[in-house]
Amino acid sequence: MTDDELTASRRDILKTGAVAGVGLGGGSGVLSTLQPADESGEAVDQVTSFLGEDQVVKTACGPNCRGDCPLDVFVRDGQIKKTEQQVPAASEFKRGCTLGISHVQRAYNAKRLKYPMKRASWSPDDPQPGARGEDAQFERISWSEALDLVAEQIQTTKGEYGPESVYWHAGSGSQGTSGYGRLKQLVGGIQDSFVYGIDTNVGQGFNRITGEGGVFMPPTNTVEDWANADTLIIWGSDIFASQFQMDAEWILDAKRNGAKLVVVDPMYTNTAEKADLWLPIRPGKDTHLALAMMNYIFENEVYDDTFLRQRTNAPALVRVDDGTLFDPTRVSDNPPDGGIVVMNEETSEPNVVGAETGGPFALFGEWTIDGVAVRTGLAALREQASEYQPADVAEVAGLSVADIKTAADWLATRGAGGILPAYSVGRYLYGHVFGQAYATLMALTGDYGRHGNVHAQHPSYGGPSLQTGDWGNPEGGVSLDTYGYQEILSLLENGDPVQPRFLYGTNSNMLGNQFPNRERWLNAMESLDTIVWADMYHTPTTQQADIILPAAHWFETEDVLGSDHHPNIRYREQAHEPLWEARDDYYIMAGIAERLGHGDKFPDDKREVLDRFVQNDDRLSWEQLRENGTVETDETPTVAYTDAFGTESGRITVYDDDAPTEKGPGLPDEGISLEVPEPLEARTADDWEAQNEYPLVFMQKHSKWRIHSQWANVPWLREVNREPQLDIHPKDAEQRDISDGEYVLVHNDRGSMVVRAKYNEGIQPGLVNTDQGWWAEDFVEGHYQDPISAETADVGRTFAFYDCRVEVERAAEEYQSNQYTQDNPRGTAGSASGGD
Amino acid sequence: MTENTPTATDHSTGDPRPSIADTFGTLAVCWREPSEGWVDAIESGRFEWLDGVETFGDLDELRVEYTRLFIGPGRDQCPPYESVYRDGADSDDLGPVYGPTTQAVARWYDEYDLRLRDSRSAPPDHIATELEFAAYLSANEDDSVLEQFLNEHLREWVDQFVAHLRENDPGPFYRALIRRTTEAINS
Ligand code: SF4
């Protein structure tokens, strides 16, 4: 379909002679928007038939929550009436949360983006980037004008400044077949990535010593296997609030089977409430705790020596002088690839061994070989752990000695164990060390490759579940240079090595939710001449755009989708056409492609693309998809880590001879080398330089009322979750003369926000929290990203949202009455939501 | 009735004041998005009784204002649909589009075999569409039917809508339009 056809199908009443009727006194002459039914040729009855039947449309939710929930949407007379959870073909994965069943308030949200818009003060010749912001005004434009402008701006930007000044940004806010990846490869430019930038710490540390996974959550046994666990430690994740659909029932299965559940969390959460043992750790002390648990395991000799010998480099001989591994070629003429030198206790001779090889290898000891003093890697780790006696760590981390020992003992002695961390610990600057630490801890207890081992929450279902062929990699496409978010900020600020000038953004409310130090980003983006943004709703991010493109709600699109987190392919049947002039992202991409000469790569009808996916895959048929909504894939439950690890030695490197040196705030200038886990802290450290001025650690927990910032203003949800607030322990509040419910200024030298204080005894003194997912306009003043630094560390390269300290005081009198306290009809609680 | 209130005089008799049908029809047009054709109509003088129309100024500026007030995307928008003011659970909050009152309005149109020319361009309870329908009723039906429609719909929500609008700083053209519209539907 061309844009003209699309536009014509939604005829603009103004162009069809809206004024024609004026002055005609009788008959149907006054009509312009309405017309007699016999002329309309449209058989659609616009009226609800009370006796009629609902049509059940099979579709699917699709934000970045890992739920991937198929949904049933009840449509009557062309309108969505309600949403229910759909039971998929693999029926044990039935799911769907409060957000999923409140979609009707997203689809029929009065503040949806309705038409393409252009910032009134923007024009190609005089973009006036300084006029962006809260007060920017927009005017409606047609789709063809909008797409012409986008295409022209891409062309002129490329022509004037080179292809690398065209910058493509997508968040994770929407699953669907849009052709975005295809288009950007055809057009060229640069792209940004979460890697490195957001939540890339914990997985990175885990990956560094196991060679497994990437920078996000590592592989794990799939959920059906969790019932075999004997001990589960949920570390810094409120699964029972924010990962409920994906993980909670499987954890309860394990509990019912007798597993012990330990929860490590500085807050008393919904999840902590389910625990057999809750460790209310002080912020930033997670690696201390992991080391104290290792200490217990060493002292009580409850480590898994067989596993350590066979699958880790614990027995590897390490030179005492420089910490490198003893050179295998000094022991063997022909050592296996990645082989390590171990001391054979039976022969008292060094051997070189490859991956997955056990034997009578010494785990501890010191020797001199060829005049070189060596000891085992495990000895180095034990020495490090010996510095972290449970009694000392208990003091530092605010825990009881007995609890630390119990947690360690359960993990080591009760059978199959699992640790489920989340991204939260990675939101400290040096959170990757925790990834290394828990991977090491689980190596000590031998918890890899067995039934009941768990290494992460929301497991993925392995291979590609949808056969998209070359859709994602079109012929003639180029691969784009990728910059992590933390690099993008400096590109925008310094133009080095490239200066982005044009930005296409989609599926993302980064400026309203996910970028730290918001004001810095807003300033940096003034270097962009053109910002184009597609979304379903007007977010604080689209407010910064020059051209706004209204995207369709998921229920208004047709699609075929894989699922990362359960073995079902999902179908989206279109419930109705997009409202107003919103458009399926596919048609937005196709419209741009056509104007840039790539029209042949985007079939006129999206169905053709989906049909290829279906044809590519023997498991799929349209009949099944339409009838059932899902088709089960053949992926089977897996036990992870059964083969050699992805490291050079094929072993978990509990001693990482190739360790990087981390540098950053709070660390000595020469940095700290990470052969074994070393607790590193920046602003959470007790001796942080500004600790007296800003004594409180500030976190922004996920809540069950948002996926990122989506659903932010769904009225049903706002009824129970009205405004951002600051969880603060009554002791901290009283010390500052703050009463429950008063508005407080939360600030540091970077920025501030004003929110309502909420006494909460579930949060420890010294820590405050505001749930994430609020938009700029929801704050009485400021934003929770304003006090957070965008600084990253050399190795971690990850934004550290929780590595933030603030002071809190009662807000000035003028803030005590505000949009939430005044009788202010329709004041703040507009009803838009969206973005990412 | 004030002296400026339009009356039911038939336009065809040559009375300078517009008929009720014309009044509603004119108002309907004025609540649509300003366009070139719209300017031509205003300049033709047919809208004169709506004094204030000459203050619309520059078309581009008015389109920006229209976008700000009625389309969005920003905070100031007052979606001009009945359900938004009647179907929300909380009167302090904007309600949804396509609510029960939207259906009720559509039933009126259906009763007269009228359809939206383009059912997806905007919900059927847009203020302009309701005014257009009021014009149609006044041209084709007894006053009592028009009264019933006004009572069931426009009079039920337009006050709330314009109150919200007034909080968002409408310019002189829309201030005049608000005044004339409330007069017309309440007379
Ligand atoms: S928001 Fe996530 S968990 Fe909730 S219904 Fe949608 S996909 Fe499922």
Side-chain angles (χ1 to χ4, degrees):
Chain A
M1 222 185 294
T2 68
D3 298 307
D4 290 343
E5 278 170 301
L6 275 169
T7 308
S9 73
R10 296 178 186 75
R11 264 167 301 170
D12 177 349
I13 56 105
L14 297 165
K15 291 180 189 135
T16 57
V19 295
V22 178
L24 299 176
S28 57
V30 292
L31 299 178
S32 61
T33 310
L34 292 164
Q35 65 180 342
D38 50 10
E39 290 171 23
S40 74
E42 201 181 317
V44 185
D45 193 350
Q46 289 156 358
V47 178
T48 298
S49 30
F50 290 98
L51 301 173
E53 278 193 18
D54 290 328
Q55 181 201 353
V56 181
V57 170
K58 305 281 187 191
T59 180
C61 199
N64 183 10
C65 66
R66 314 316 203 291
D68 305 332
C69 302
L71 296 172
D72 279 343
V73 172
F74 292 72
V75 176
R76 183 176 290 198
D77 300 307
Q79 282 185 36
I80 299 164
K81 296 298 178 189
K82 65 167 181 175
T83 313
E84 278 183 5
Q85 294 91 337
Q86 181 194 125
V87 181
S91 60
E92 62 276 35
F93 293 92
K94 61 182 184 304
R95 46 179 64 175
C97 75
T98 326
L99 308 186
I101 58 174
S102 59
H103 270 295
V104 67
Q105 291 200 334
R106 299 191 81 204
Y108 297 142
N109 191 304
K111 285 190 169 180
R112 273 183 66 168
L113 288 173
K114 304 175 179 77
Y115 306 98
M117 310 255 177
K118 174 180 98 58
R119 174 162 62 85
S121 47
W122 178 90
S123 70
D125 302 330
D126 184 16
Q128 300 192 46
R132 290 187 194 119
E134 299 267 302
D135 298 326
Q137 297 289 314
F138 295 86
E139 66 188 280
R140 178 181 166 184
I141 54 177
S142 69
W143 267 111
S144 31
E145 191 183 341
L147 296 174
D148 285 348
L149 282 171
V150 174
E152 280 161 27
Q153 288 310 101
I154 290 175
Q155 293 286 45
T156 38
T157 307
K158 276 173 84 170
E160 263 178 60
Y161 304 105
E164 64 283 355
S165 43
V166 172
Y167 161 32
W168 300 88
H169 163 85
S172 59
S174 171
Q175 300 173 347
T177 307
S178 68
Y180 165 80
R182 189 175 178 82
L183 180 70
K184 70 182 175 185
Q185 289 173 60
L186 292 167
V187 173
I190 61 164
Q191 61 188 351
D192 62 14
S193 165
F194 287 82
V195 186
Y196 290 86
I198 295 184
D199 290 338
T200 44
N201 253 339
V202 175
Q204 180 187 167
F206 187 99
N207 169 276
R208 183 156 63 76
I209 65 157
T210 61
E212 300 292 331
V215 294
F216 300 121
M217 286 294 118
T220 182
N221 295 11
T222 44
V223 284
E224 301 96 317
D225 188 55
W226 293 9
N228 297 315
D230 298 299
T231 303
L232 288 175
I233 303 180
I234 298 176
W235 205 311
S237 177
D238 191 2
I239 285 174
F240 283 78
S242 76
Q243 293 287 313
F244 190 81
Q245 304 304 311
M246 310 55 147
D247 294 345
E249 65 171 295
W250 313 97
I251 288 164
L252 292 178
D253 282 351
K255 250 194 110 176
R256 268 190 292 270
N257 274 0
K260 291 288 188 193
L261 180 63
V262 180
V263 172
V264 181
D265 203 302
M267 296 181 217
Y268 188 66
T269 59
N270 290 22
T271 308
E273 184 259 330
K274 302 280 184 299
D276 295 295
L277 176 66
W278 169 45
L279 301 182
I281 193 166
R282 289 186 54 217
K285 312 301 178 202
D286 304 272
T287 303
H288 297 79
L289 172 60
L291 281 161
M293 290 169 70
M294 291 183 216
N295 180 295
Y296 175 91
I297 288 165
F298 281 122
E299 297 216 333
N300 294 278
E301 297 182 15
V302 286
Y303 43 80
D304 184 337
D305 49 5
T306 311
F307 182 89
L308 287 169
R309 289 187 174 102
Q310 185 180 328
R311 306 201 64 198
T312 78
N313 74 351
L317 300 184
V318 178
R319 295 175 66 121
V320 175
D321 54 1
D322 63 5
T324 61
L325 293 188
F326 192 76
D327 181 359
T329 59
R330 294 176 69 162
V331 175
S332 159
D333 291 340
N334 194 12
D337 268 359
I340 55 169
V341 182
V342 298
M343 183 56 71
N344 188 320
E345 285 183 311
E346 278 170 13
T347 61
S348 296
E349 289 293 328
N351 295 157
V352 181
V353 293
E356 298 289 313
T357 310
F361 313 143
L363 287 176
F364 301 101
E366 289 191 26
W367 303 269
T368 302
I369 307 173
D370 288 352
V372 178
V374 295
R375 60 173 174 168
T376 62
L378 196 63
L381 179 66
R382 185 173 65 178
E383 184 182 277
Q384 169 74 343
S386 71
E387 307 274 312
Y388 296 88
Q389 293 297 329
D392 299 336
V393 169
E395 185 108 333
V396 170
L399 300 171
S400 94
V401 187
D403 287 351
I404 296 175
K405 291 182 172 176
T406 304
D409 193 65
W410 283 353
L411 183 69
T413 66
R414 289 191 88 254
I419 296 180
L420 294 78
Y423 295 110
S424 59
V425 183
R427 294 192 161 210
Y428 303 120
L429 204 54
Y430 307 117
H432 58 93
V433 186
F434 172 73
Q436 177 186 12
Y438 94 90
T440 306
L441 175 57
M442 292 182 74
L444 286 186
T445 55
D447 283 313
Y448 289 82
R450 296 190 286 168
H451 284 289
N453 290 154
V454 187
H455 297 86
Q457 56 179 14
H458 61 66
S460 289
Y461 259 83
S465 58
L466 188 66
Q467 312 294 317
T468 54
D470 76 343
W471 180 247
N473 295 296
E475 207 191 321
V478 294
S479 79
L480 284 74
D481 284 344
T482 304
Y483 295 89
Y485 291 140
Q486 103 288 6
E487 294 171 305
I488 288 285
L489 186 53
S490 79
L491 295 194
L492 292 169
E493 284 177 339
N494 311 320
D496 181 31
V498 297
Q499 177 72 63
R501 299 270 176 186
F502 168 95
L503 163 59
Y504 188 94
T506 182
N507 298 349
S508 168
N509 181 17
M510 287 307 186
L511 294 169
N513 187 50
Q514 289 216 315
F515 280 170
N517 206 347
R518 194 177 57 117
E519 293 295 336
R520 197 174 147 195
W521 282 92
L522 292 176
N523 290 334
M525 289 177 74
E526 285 198 25
S527 61
L528 294 161
D529 295 332
T530 312
I531 301 178
V532 181
W533 217 277
D535 203 306
M536 294 188 229
Y537 306 100
H538 187 57
T539 66
T541 306
T542 56
Q543 178 64 28
Q544 300 296 327
D546 305 316
I547 297 171
I548 301 176
L549 306 175
H553 182 274
W554 298 316
F555 297 174
E556 297 165 346
T557 67
E558 184 182 40
D559 225 317
V560 179
L561 304 164
S563 311
D564 285 341
H565 302 277
H566 54 81
N568 294 286
I569 303 237
R570 296 169 291 158
Y571 178 55
R572 269 188 194 145
E573 181 183 349
Q574 189 184 42
H576 57 56
E577 287 285 323
L579 296 184
W580 293 284
E581 286 189 4
R583 241 183 223 194
D584 184 329
D585 281 294
Y586 176 85
Y587 292 107
I588 301 178
M589 293 296 121
I592 299 170
E594 193 189 342
R595 285 165 173 76
L596 294 173
H598 302 295
D600 57 322
K601 297 286 200 308
F602 284 80
D604 286 350
D605 187 351
K606 179 183 180 185
R607 174 77 62 85
E608 260 183 61
V609 177
L610 304 180
D611 193 49
R612 278 187 229 161
F613 301 168
V614 174
Q615 302 308 332
N616 280 346
D617 197 330
D618 291 343
R619 300 168 300 186
L620 296 184
S621 75
W622 281 108
E623 293 67 42
Q624 271 177 301
L625 285 170
R626 292 216 177 88
E627 204 151 295
N628 304 328
T630 58
V631 173
E632 186 169 358
T633 63
D634 43 14
E635 283 135 341
T636 43
T638 49
V639 171
Y641 309 107
T642 50
D643 300 324
F645 288 91
T647 52
E648 219 184 304
S649 61
R651 295 164 177 266
I652 298 176
T653 50
V654 296
Y655 179 86
D656 184 7
D657 65 301
D658 192 26
T661 296
E662 180 63 301
K663 291 181 182 167
L667 304 185
D669 289 347
E670 69 278 15
I672 293 199
S673 184
L674 294 165
E675 283 76 12
V676 290
E678 173 77 41
L680 305 182
E681 286 184 273
R683 301 178 192 87
T684 57
D686 298 328
D687 56 357
W688 176 250
E689 53 196 22
Q691 111 100 8
N692 291 332
E693 225 173 318
Y694 303 115
L696 303 168
V697 173
F698 172 47
M699 287 184 186
Q700 318 86 41
K701 179 183 177 296
H702 270 189
S703 97
K704 61 186 151 205
W705 310 115
R706 300 285 187 286
I707 304 302
H708 295 154
S709 71
Q710 290 191 83
W711 282 267
N713 278 349
V714 169
W716 284 330
L717 303 173
R718 288 300 280 262
E719 263 178 51
V720 285
N721 187 221
R722 206 169 99 101
E723 59 177 293
Q725 56 190 24
L726 187 80
D727 295 304
I728 184 167
H729 193 278
K731 253 200 232 158
D732 283 335
E734 279 155 15
Q735 255 176 33
R736 292 165 173 79
D737 285 328
I738 295 164
S739 313
D740 195 13
E742 278 186 321
Y743 285 82
V744 290
L745 176 72
V746 180
H747 64 102
N748 62 20
D749 47 3
R750 220 166 280 106
S752 65
M753 64 172 183
V754 172
V755 292
R756 191 193 284 271
K758 169 97 173 73
Y759 279 21
N760 183 345
E761 297 199 24
I763 194 161
Q764 56 184 263
L767 175 64
V768 290
N769 171 70
T770 293
D771 285 350
Q772 63 166 284
W774 298 96
W775 292 7
E777 67 210 58
D778 296 323
F779 292 88
V780 172
E781 192 69 46
H783 192 283
Y784 59 73
Q785 293 289 11
D786 290 350
I788 300 170
S789 170
E791 187 176 22
T792 57
D794 276 20
V795 173
R797 288 165 286 174
T798 300
F799 292 138
F801 302 95
Y802 293 0
D803 223 314
C804 182
R805 275 183 185 271
V806 295
E807 179 54 292
V808 177
E809 60 193 64
R810 190 176 182 279
E813 211 49 49
E814 58 182 296
Y815 293 120
Q816 298 301 330
S817 74
N818 55 54
Q819 69 250 48
Y820 297 107
T821 62
Q822 289 157 355
D823 179 24
N824 183 16
R826 309 181 206 292
T828 53
S831 28
S833 60
D836 180 23
Chain B
M1 261 188 211
T2 69
E3 60 176 327
N4 290 324
T5 307
T7 66
T9 319
D10 187 341
H11 183 67
S12 60
T13 62
D15 187 303
R17 284 171 300 173
S19 69
I20 292 188
D22 268 1
T23 302
F24 284 125
T26 307
L27 290 170
V29 172
C30 291
W31 283 103
R32 296 282 173 207
E33 190 178 354
S35 66
E36 302 287 346
W38 187 93
V39 173
D40 292 345
I42 289 183
E43 285 173 352
S44 75
R46 279 204 186 116
F47 294 53
E48 229 162 43
W49 60 273
L50 190 91
D51 79 62
V53 289
E54 66 287 354
T55 53
F56 76 87
D58 177 66
L59 175 63
D60 287 341
E61 279 169 25
L62 197 66
R63 283 172 58 83
V64 172
E65 185 181 355
Y66 186 90
T67 307
R68 176 177 72 86
L69 291 173
F70 305 114
I71 296 180
R75 237 180 292 181
D76 293 355
Q77 65 182 298
C78 310
Y81 308 105
E82 178 169 349
S83 64
V84 171
Y85 302 89
R86 293 188 66 190
D87 295 343
D90 174 354
S91 63
D92 285 351
D93 202 352
L94 293 179
V97 293
Y98 291 102
T101 58
T102 316
Q103 290 292 332
V105 174
R107 265 199 297 282
W108 269 92
Y109 302 163
D110 197 56
E111 202 55 37
Y112 287 84
D113 269 341
L114 296 174
R115 297 279 181 276
L116 282 183
R117 219 170 255 288
D118 172 359
S119 60
R120 294 289 165 214
S121 63
D125 54 347
H126 191 289
I127 187 168
T129 312
E130 290 195 12
L131 288 165
E132 186 180 310
F133 183 66
Y136 176 86
L137 288 181
S138 66
N140 295 288
E141 277 286 358
D142 286 352
D143 285 356
S144 62
V145 178
L146 173 64
E147 276 297 296
Q148 189 190 340
F149 179 72
L150 292 175
N151 283 335
E152 287 180 11
H153 293 288
L154 286 157
R155 286 174 187 159
E156 282 288 325
W157 68 281
V158 169
D159 284 350
Q160 270 201 68
F161 164 62
V162 301
H164 185 29
L165 203 46
R166 286 205 179 95
E167 283 166 22
N168 287 290
D169 198 19
F173 175 79
Y174 288 107
R175 287 205 300 273
L177 185 59
I178 288 169
R179 199 168 59 243
R180 292 301 174 203
T181 305
T182 47
E183 280 167 7
I185 63 178
N186 292 320
S187 65

